Amino acid sequence: MNPLLLLLLPFWLLILQFVVCNSIYLNYTEALSKSILFFEGQRSGYIPSNQRITWRGNSALGDGPGFFSDLRGGYYNGGDNVKSTYTMAFTTTMLAWSVIEFGEMMPKEELRNTLVAIRWSADYLPEDMDMNRTVYKLQAIDPASEVAGEVAAALAATSIAFRSFDPYYSDSLLKAASGAFDYADLYHGSYSETVLIKYGVCPYYCAFDGYQASIYSHTHTHTHTHTHTYKRMVTHWQDELIWGAAWLSKASKDERYMEYIQKNGDTLAANENINEFGWDKKHAGINVLLSKEVLERKAYGLDSYKTSADNFICTLIPESSSSSHIAYTPGGLIYREGEKNLQHSTSITFLLLVYAKYLKQSSGSINCGSVRVGPAKLRVMAKRQVDYILGKNPKGMSYMVGYGRKYPQRIHHRGSFIPSIKDHPQVIKCKEGSIYFNSSNPNPNILIGAVVGGPQKDDEYEDDRTDISKSEPTTYINAPFVGALAFFAAKPIHHN
Ligand SMILES: *[C@@H]1O[C@H](CO)[C@@H](O)[C@H](O)[C@H]1NC(C)=O
Ligand SMILES: *[C@@H]1O[C@H](CO)[C@@H](O)[C@H](O)[C@H]1NC(C)=O
Ligand SMILES: *[C@@H]1O[C@H](CO)[C@@H](O)[C@H](O)[C@H]1NC(C)=O
């Protein structure tokens, strides 16, 4: 053999590894089905007989009565038995937005499953409108603009998603959305700032380290193993008012919502150049959503939203002359400091595809200094994120449970790591669950379709149940992924 060829051996091996790593076949249709199936594993309340994730039984049936309302149902937002109205509403908005933009591309059966998943939480939301299941009903004196604003957005978006399938349901959702919005706007403020103080729940749920805890509704079922204090940044409630108004404007075509945006957008700083989109920050989502109106010249005075949406896209393009850039891991995953990184990847991926669609419909493009960006580039960027999550990454690992050859086995999820009541009829008392929590065995119940918090900034993932940030799945990670997968299942664009 030519010694030069031998010398180059490591190089050839590298190329080979690259080719192999990049040639795994990804079945987007399968991933789409699973991403929707996941929501059945998160169901709270009475489980219907057609439930497909069978290890999940009835739970939290005691919610509500002391409060003169029925608060059974809805979704647990993650791996602990907690239902948070705020994140559930955002999840619902994202599932509905997925159907609005990409529902027509879904196989009929999956469209039906997605509508069922949306209805499961939308039905809960018009009923709910409360913070603490036992005490804090939204009362006129308790501002909760961010929660009520997000509920308004969720119900309005759901009303659009259902319009052609169930007009009667769609109308009733719109009415409820409008009520939620009026409430949100009448008493400005955040529930995490006011309710906590008012009801004296400090210090248990209150500020430390410059963070403020948020109130979550708790369910203590027999699987309860430990108590958490949920911390997050002090909530900004302003963006949800514009977000809610934007969805109501789309759903109702009532001029007053567009006027509200035109009049209040600047004061509420919703059009700000904040390059984030998640359950607590709607800015990039608002900017993309309202850019459609600008691109179609349907409303005046919204140009700043389009400018901010463009700026947001430019931060994702490393070679752009943008003043700041969003980071990527060496393996190519969008990375932000903080909890559960894949929430950023899935929600930004969704926005990339939505913006690509809007730009395409209006033959638009984005100017990022020296780089001009069109829909095709946005889709390639989105595909890279989707492919990473499904297994094209340095670890060759799928971050969707039950998908691919290698996926997380020890997710932080009580329903998944504690034996099902169907296999273990005796009650598992409080604390007894820690045997399972501490065990190094794989979880007995596979939560098919769950996308976990994901790897850290060096693409590493340890598959450790105690590492909540990485190993816990949440409904708000999966919801935008449903829309992205619907797109690629229908249009598996090729690049490389
Ligand atoms: C992809 O998955 C779908 C749904 O699970 C299945 O029906 C189809 O046969 C799969 N396609 C290939 C090429 O394996
Ligand atoms: C709900 O309210 C009750 C009564 O004030 C309080 O004891 C409990 O800690 C609250 N729960 C949460 C999760 O805030
Ligand atoms: C589980 O691990 C924790 C922390 O290491 C320990 O305190 C606890 O005793 C363990 N529980 C069981 C049942 O092994």
Side-chain angles (χ1 to χ4, degrees), residues 33-287:
S33 311
K34 291 180 172 171
S35 70
I36 303 160
L37 183 57
F38 157 75
F39 288 91
E40 293 192 12
Q42 296 302 107
R43 283 173 170 179
S44 179
Y46 281 112
I47 299 301
S49 59
N50 60 359
Q51 168 88 1
R52 295 174 295 163
I53 291 193
T54 50
W55 50 258
R56 165 70 75 189
N58 295 340
S59 64
L61 299 181
D63 289 352
F67 201 46
F68 307 109
S69 57
D70 184 353
L71 298 174
R72 288 171 293 199
Y75 291 118
Y76 298 118
N77 54 276
D80 299 306
N81 297 327
V82 172
K83 290 197 290 197
S84 141
T85 304
Y86 192 22
T87 52
M88 202 194 304
F90 177 65
T91 297
T92 310
T93 310
M94 295 313 295
L95 282 174
W97 198 2
S98 294
V99 166
I100 293 165
E101 303 295 348
F102 307 115
E104 284 178 358
M105 303 171 96
M106 290 183 183
K108 268 211 176 63
E109 183 59 17
E110 295 314 336
L111 175 59
R112 208 188 64 86
N113 288 333
T114 311
L115 291 171
V116 168
I118 296 171
R119 194 164 186 152
W120 187 272
S121 50
D123 281 349
Y124 177 87
L125 294 171
E127 292 286 311
D128 178 32
M129 294 296 295
D130 85 66
M131 309 293 106
N132 177 330
R133 268 180 234 169
T134 47
V135 206
Y136 309 118
K137 184 90 176 169
L138 288 188
Q139 291 159 4
I141 32 165
D142 302 333
S145 300
E146 75 282 54
V147 183
E150 186 62 61
V151 169
L155 299 178
T158 303
S159 137
I160 302 173
F162 272 89
R163 186 153 300 149
S164 60
F165 303 102
D166 190 341
Y168 179 79
Y169 182 54
S170 172
D171 286 349
S172 70
L173 288 167
L174 191 53
K175 275 203 201 80
S178 142
F181 181 80
D182 290 345
Y183 180 88
D185 193 40
L186 193 53
Y187 304 99
H188 282 184
S190 163
Y191 76 99
S192 66
E193 282 154 30
T194 55
V195 176
L196 284 167
I197 294 156
K198 185 162 177 266
Y199 289 94
V201 288
C202 294
Y204 179 59
Y205 275 109
C206 254
F208 45 95
D209 298 342
Y211 283 79
Q212 198 161 21
S214 58
I215 296 183
Y216 278 81
S217 331
H218 275 61
T219 319
H220 299 262
T221 66
H222 77 264
T223 59
H224 189 93
T225 51
H226 47 274
T227 313
H228 285 298
T229 303
Y230 292 87
K231 289 187 294 173
R232 65 183 165 85
M233 296 282 254
V234 173
T235 296
H236 299 279
W237 49 267
Q238 291 88 342
D239 47 334
E240 278 77 20
L241 288 174
I242 298 298
W243 177 240
W247 279 108
L248 268 158
S249 167
K250 235 172 128 71
S252 68
K253 308 274 188 282
D254 183 338
E255 286 291 319
R256 90 180 159 108
Y257 296 110
M258 192 45 78
E259 282 160 15
Y260 181 94
I261 295 168
Q262 285 155 337
K263 187 157 156 261
N264 300 297
D266 290 342
T267 6
L268 296 174
N271 51 356
E272 247 177 43
N273 213 346
I274 294 177
N275 298 317
E276 276 195 49
F277 185 48
W279 61 272
D280 196 23
K281 286 223 175 78
K282 309 294 143 53
H283 297 85
I286 295 170
N287 294 331

